[in-house]
Amino acid sequence: MSDRGRRRDTELRHETTWMTCVLDRLEHAVSLEDFGAGLRLGLGYYTAVCGHVTFPQALVSPHGRPCPECTLRLALGADGKTAGKLRRLAAAGRRLRIVRRAQ
């Protein structure tokens, strides 16, 4: 990954805000750019880093559980290939645990 790509990944991690969605009760990361666009348009919903359309609950409400996909994308940066590999490994691990339990 180039220095420019690394810099973009770091910026993405630091330029997000987290909000809990009333639909799935998960706390999603929303880029400040998408948050600002949503505010300007007055829509009341925002697109999260994971792609989920987030309808935020009242900010005085308790936080939801962090969205695993948003967390993964922020941890790995914008490199979707790495995120895909990690998801496949996690799925393989879950299958292995199921097989072990059945024995």
Side-chain angles (χ1 to χ4, degrees), residues 17-66:
T17 185
W18 290 82
M19 54 184 66
T20 301
C21 179
V22 297
L23 301 177
D24 64 2
R25 303 282 188 233
L26 292 177
E27 191 173 31
H28 293 276
V30 176
S31 74
L32 294 182
E33 184 178 335
D34 286 336
F35 182 66
L39 285 176
R40 280 191 301 282
L41 296 172
L43 299 174
Y45 58 85
Y46 312 94
T47 303
V49 171
C50 68
H52 179 76
V53 177
T54 303
F55 293 85
Q57 68 182 16
L59 298 178
V60 296
S61 301
H63 296 283
R65 189 172 45 90

